[in-house]
Amino acid sequence: MDYLMQKVSYLKGLAEGLGIEEDSKEGKLLLHIVDTLEEFADVLDEVIDNQVDLEEYVTFIDEDLADVEDELYGTDEDDDYDFDDYEDYDDYDECVDLGCSCCEEE
């Protein structure tokens, strides 16, 4: 975000260095465009800060909700399946062909 603010500051400095004044129509337009860009950059910076805060807040809510779920429902160790403890299912080479019930082909 700092990069955007630097670009706007550069444009402001360039406008001042070129001696652009509000006396002409073009000068007035250019200076207002630079001011508007600065306002956009400020608002965007605020939105990004709010987004970061919101992400942190949602993370805390998620952690709190997980704690509440553990308290309410408990954790059942039987629900966590570890398939490494069971037989290797790759040993089963036998396939069952059920055929097609619509056209009775196998």
Side-chain angles (χ1 to χ4, degrees):
M1 188 62 214
D2 291 333
Y3 178 74
L4 188 57
M5 294 300 288
Q6 290 173 354
K7 296 288 277 187
V8 172
S9 295
Y10 172 76
L11 289 174
K12 284 185 100 164
L14 188 61
E16 288 175 10
L18 292 173
I20 297 176
E21 298 292 330
E22 286 194 32
D23 297 339
S24 68
K25 293 177 186 178
E26 294 84 7
K28 189 174 190 176
L29 175 67
L30 287 174
L31 291 176
H32 282 287
I33 288 173
V34 171
D35 290 341
T36 303
L37 287 174
E38 185 176 30
E39 289 175 19
F40 271 114
D42 289 339
V43 169
L44 187 58
D45 189 38
E46 185 178 328
V47 167
I48 290 171
D49 289 342
N50 289 340
Q51 177 67 28
V52 169
D53 292 343
L54 184 62
E55 287 175 3
E56 290 176 5
Y57 186 67
V58 168
T59 301
F60 291 135
I61 290 174
D62 185 46
E63 291 170 358
D64 290 344
L65 181 60
D67 293 341
V68 169
E69 287 174 343
D70 286 344
E71 285 293 321
L72 287 176
Y73 303 117
T75 54
D76 191 4
E77 297 297 324
D78 295 336
D79 289 343
D80 297 331
Y81 297 110
D82 188 10
F83 290 106
D84 294 335
D85 295 339
Y86 298 103
E87 298 177 9
D88 189 10
Y89 290 106
D90 293 334
D91 292 341
Y92 296 104
D93 293 331
E94 187 177 314
C95 295
V96 177
D97 188 11
L98 298 176
C100 178
S101 61
C102 297
C103 58
E104 299 184 17
E105 291 182 9
E106 291 188 33

